[in-house]
Amino acid sequence: MRDRKWSRRDLLRASTAAAAGVLFAEPSKAAAPPAAAVTSALVEAAKKEGKLSFYSALELTTAERLARTFEAKYPGIAVRVERSGAERIFQRIAQEQGSGINAVDVANSTDPAHYLEWKKNDWLAPYLPDDVAKHFPADQVDPDGMYATSCAWLETIGYNTNLVKREDAPKSYADLLDPRWQGKIVKAHPGYSGAILTTTFVLARDLGWPYLEKLAQQKVMQVQSAADPPKKILLGERAVMADGNDYNLVLLKDQGKPVEVVYPAEGSPLIIVPSGVFRGAPNPNAARLFQSFFFSAETQQMLVDVFAHRSFHAHVNEKGEHVPLANLKLLKADPAAVQAQSEEIKARYSKIFGV
């Protein structure tokens, strides 16, 4: 990342092309495994195991819904959900693996860089669900079949419509530096949230660290998860959020709550959420069955309809209230670059924002 002199014009000229990275850029090490269909033999083997552990950085309500829906579809298999921020999940799995503890069966994370590390360490097992092989674009699937994108969303600006008039609302990251928003902004922390780590990476890359330094001078309220800023503006504790999940705001609007999504003029960070089966999974058959369930058209449509997530499954319909991805400027991150700079990003961010 390079520092450069910030200007409003520079920010407004930020483009999708400059931001775009390759999501699954690591070269293939071996041939991808054959596509795996759900067979009666797999189901029976999974039922004999009777359980699985699902480590997830999705919100708890989402992860629990996935678990309970799976249990209803496959009675006799219990899913234990271990939910936390992506960076904490990463640390936990590293500690377990380093101690020879095989506890995780399936993990999904909002930080795709984690999968590069897990793959390098040979902790992931090759498994390619039939739906992934047939209906997902190649750029959302690891070439060795170790993981694929289970869902996605955007990090956006947002505001409370009772506190901010539409005509006055910020339209860009540059607008957040207006003195009128001092003491009225909330944002999440890259040391806790993988989504915010990716967001910080693309903003520092495209807008420069000086932009974040100026934003920190706005007396920003700091929270942990990317799900927290939407809650803070809903409660009126802050008028505007500088980052946060777009799906939270879409769901709140569905309920008639006074919030609005803003897709910044400079572009919106795209957050992809991979999922993979672990090589040392204590319940390998149940893990594979859950992975196939996760990527099925039925489950992917549920993630879109109920939780306002985005899906790359070709047979899944976009949520009507969403602005289609094709109509938005997307800021994409190269997971390898995020991985290489993650500790620097966290340290520099903490110093700038004093948290």
Coordinates of all heavy atoms in Angstrom, one line a residue, residues 258-290:
P258 N -36.2 3.0 9.9 CA -35.7 4.2 9.3 C -34.2 4.2 8.9 O -33.4 4.9 9.5 CB -36.0 5.3 10.4 CG -35.8 4.5 11.6 CD -36.4 3.1 11.4
V259 N -33.9 3.3 8.0 CA -32.5 3.3 7.6 C -32.4 3.2 6.1 O -33.4 2.8 5.4 CB -31.8 2.0 8.2 CG1 -31.7 2.1 9.7 CG2 -32.4 0.7 7.7
E260 N -31.3 3.6 5.5 CA -31.1 3.6 4.1 C -29.7 3.2 3.7 O -28.7 3.5 4.5 CB -31.4 5.0 3.5 CG -31.4 5.1 2.0 CD -32.4 4.2 1.4 OE1 -33.6 4.5 1.4 OE2 -32.0 3.1 0.9
V261 N -29.5 2.5 2.6 CA -28.3 2.0 2.1 C -27.7 3.1 1.1 O -28.5 3.6 0.3 CB -28.4 0.7 1.4 CG1 -27.0 0.2 1.0 CG2 -29.1 -0.3 2.2
V262 N -26.4 3.3 1.2 CA -25.7 4.1 0.2 C -24.6 3.3 -0.4 O -23.7 2.9 0.3 CB -25.2 5.4 0.8 CG1 -24.4 6.2 -0.2 CG2 -26.3 6.3 1.4
Y263 N -24.6 3.1 -1.7 CA -23.5 2.5 -2.4 C -22.6 3.6 -2.8 O -22.9 4.3 -3.7 CB -24.0 1.6 -3.5 CG -24.8 0.4 -3.1 CD1 -26.2 0.5 -3.1 CD2 -24.3 -0.7 -2.5 CE1 -27.0 -0.6 -2.6 CE2 -25.0 -1.7 -2.0 CZ -26.4 -1.7 -2.1 OH -27.2 -2.7 -1.6
P264 N -21.4 3.7 -2.2 CA -20.6 4.9 -2.4 C -20.2 5.1 -3.9 O -20.0 4.1 -4.7 CB -19.3 4.6 -1.6 CG -19.8 3.6 -0.6 CD -20.8 2.8 -1.2
A265 N -20.0 6.4 -4.3 CA -19.6 6.7 -5.7 C -18.3 6.0 -6.1 O -18.1 5.7 -7.2 CB -19.6 8.2 -5.8
E266 N -17.4 5.9 -5.1 CA -16.1 5.3 -5.4 C -16.1 3.8 -5.6 O -15.2 3.2 -6.1 CB -15.1 5.6 -4.3 CG -14.9 7.1 -4.0 CD -15.8 7.6 -3.0 OE1 -16.8 6.9 -2.6 OE2 -15.6 8.8 -2.5
G267 N -17.2 3.2 -5.2 CA -17.4 1.7 -5.3 C -17.6 1.1 -3.9 O -17.3 1.7 -2.9
S268 N -18.2 -0.1 -3.9 CA -18.5 -0.8 -2.7 C -17.6 -2.0 -2.5 O -17.5 -2.8 -3.5 CB -20.0 -1.2 -2.7 OG -20.8 -0.1 -2.8
P269 N -16.9 -2.2 -1.4 CA -16.1 -3.4 -1.2 C -17.0 -4.7 -1.3 O -18.0 -4.8 -0.6 CB -15.5 -3.2 0.2 CG -15.5 -1.7 0.4 CD -16.8 -1.2 -0.3
L270 N -16.6 -5.6 -2.1 CA -17.3 -6.9 -2.2 C -16.7 -7.9 -1.2 O -15.5 -8.1 -1.2 CB -17.2 -7.4 -3.7 CG -17.8 -8.8 -3.9 CD1 -19.3 -8.8 -3.8 CD2 -17.4 -9.4 -5.3
I271 N -17.6 -8.4 -0.4 CA -17.1 -9.4 0.6 C -17.6 -10.8 0.2 O -18.8 -11.0 0.1 CB -17.7 -9.0 2.0 CG1 -17.3 -7.6 2.4 CG2 -17.2 -10.1 3.0 CD1 -15.8 -7.3 2.4
I272 N -16.7 -11.7 -0.1 CA -17.0 -13.1 -0.4 C -16.8 -13.9 0.8 O -15.8 -13.7 1.6 CB -16.3 -13.6 -1.6 CG1 -14.8 -13.6 -1.4 CG2 -16.7 -12.8 -2.9 CD1 -14.0 -14.3 -2.5
V273 N -17.6 -15.0 1.0 CA -17.5 -15.8 2.2 C -17.3 -17.3 1.8 O -18.3 -18.0 1.5 CB -18.8 -15.7 3.0 CG1 -18.7 -16.4 4.4 CG2 -19.1 -14.2 3.3
P274 N -16.1 -17.7 1.7 CA -15.9 -19.1 1.3 C -16.2 -20.1 2.4 O -16.4 -19.7 3.5 CB -14.3 -19.1 1.0 CG -13.9 -17.7 0.8 CD -14.8 -16.9 1.7
S275 N -16.3 -21.4 2.0 CA -16.6 -22.4 2.9 C -15.8 -23.6 2.5 O -15.6 -23.9 1.3 CB -18.1 -22.8 3.0 OG -18.3 -23.9 3.9
G276 N -15.2 -24.4 3.5 CA -14.4 -25.5 3.1 C -14.5 -26.6 4.2 O -14.8 -26.3 5.4
V277 N -14.2 -27.8 3.8 CA -14.2 -29.0 4.7 C -12.7 -29.2 5.1 O -11.8 -29.1 4.3 CB -14.7 -30.3 4.0 CG1 -14.5 -31.5 4.9 CG2 -16.2 -30.1 3.6
F278 N -12.5 -29.5 6.4 CA -11.2 -29.7 6.9 C -10.7 -31.2 6.8 O -11.5 -32.1 7.0 CB -11.1 -29.2 8.4 CG -10.7 -27.8 8.4 CD1 -11.7 -26.8 8.1 CD2 -9.5 -27.4 8.9 CE1 -11.4 -25.5 8.1 CE2 -9.2 -26.0 8.9 CZ -10.1 -25.1 8.5
R279 N -9.5 -31.3 6.4 CA -8.9 -32.6 6.2 C -9.0 -33.5 7.5 O -9.2 -34.7 7.4 CB -7.4 -32.5 5.7 CG -6.8 -33.8 5.3 CD -5.4 -33.6 4.8 NE -5.3 -32.8 3.6 CZ -5.6 -33.3 2.4 NH1 -5.9 -34.5 2.2 NH2 -5.5 -32.5 1.3
G280 N -8.8 -32.9 8.6 CA -8.8 -33.7 9.9 C -10.2 -33.7 10.5 O -10.3 -33.9 11.7
A281 N -11.2 -33.4 9.7 CA -12.6 -33.3 10.3 C -12.9 -34.6 11.0 O -12.8 -35.7 10.5 CB -13.6 -33.2 9.1
P282 N -13.4 -34.5 12.3 CA -13.7 -35.7 13.1 C -15.0 -36.4 12.5 O -15.2 -37.6 12.8 CB -13.9 -35.1 14.5 CG -14.2 -33.7 14.3 CD -13.5 -33.3 13.1
N283 N -15.8 -35.7 11.7 CA -17.0 -36.2 11.1 C -17.0 -36.0 9.6 O -17.8 -35.1 9.1 CB -18.2 -35.6 11.8 CG -18.2 -35.7 13.3 OD1 -18.3 -36.8 13.9 ND2 -17.9 -34.6 14.0
P284 N -16.1 -36.6 8.9 CA -15.9 -36.3 7.5 C -17.1 -36.4 6.6 O -17.3 -35.6 5.7 CB -14.7 -37.2 7.1 CG -14.8 -38.3 8.0 CD -15.2 -37.7 9.3
N285 N -17.9 -37.4 6.8 CA -19.1 -37.6 6.0 C -20.1 -36.6 6.3 O -20.7 -36.0 5.3 CB -19.6 -39.1 6.2 CG -18.6 -40.1 5.7 OD1 -18.3 -40.2 4.5 ND2 -18.1 -40.9 6.6
A286 N -20.4 -36.3 7.5 CA -21.3 -35.3 7.9 C -20.8 -33.9 7.4 O -21.6 -33.1 6.9 CB -21.5 -35.2 9.4
A287 N -19.5 -33.7 7.4 CA -19.0 -32.5 6.9 C -19.2 -32.3 5.4 O -19.6 -31.2 5.0 CB -17.5 -32.4 7.2
R288 N -19.0 -33.3 4.6 CA -19.2 -33.3 3.2 C -20.7 -33.1 2.9 O -21.1 -32.4 2.0 CB -18.7 -34.5 2.5 CG -17.1 -34.5 2.5 CD -16.5 -35.9 2.2 NE -15.1 -35.8 2.0 CZ -14.2 -35.6 2.9 NH1 -14.6 -35.6 4.2 NH2 -12.9 -35.5 2.6
L289 N -21.6 -33.8 3.6 CA -23.0 -33.6 3.4 C -23.5 -32.2 3.7 O -24.2 -31.6 3.0 CB -23.8 -34.6 4.3 CG -25.3 -34.7 4.1 CD1 -25.7 -35.1 2.7 CD2 -25.9 -35.6 5.1
F290 N -22.9 -31.6 4.8 CA -23.3 -30.2 5.1 C -22.8 -29.3 4.0 O -23.5 -28.3 3.7 CB -22.7 -29.8 6.5 CG -23.1 -28.5 6.9 CD1 -24.3 -28.3 7.6 CD2 -22.3 -27.4 6.7 CE1 -24.7 -27.0 8.0 CE2 -22.7 -26.1 7.1 CZ -23.9 -25.9 7.8

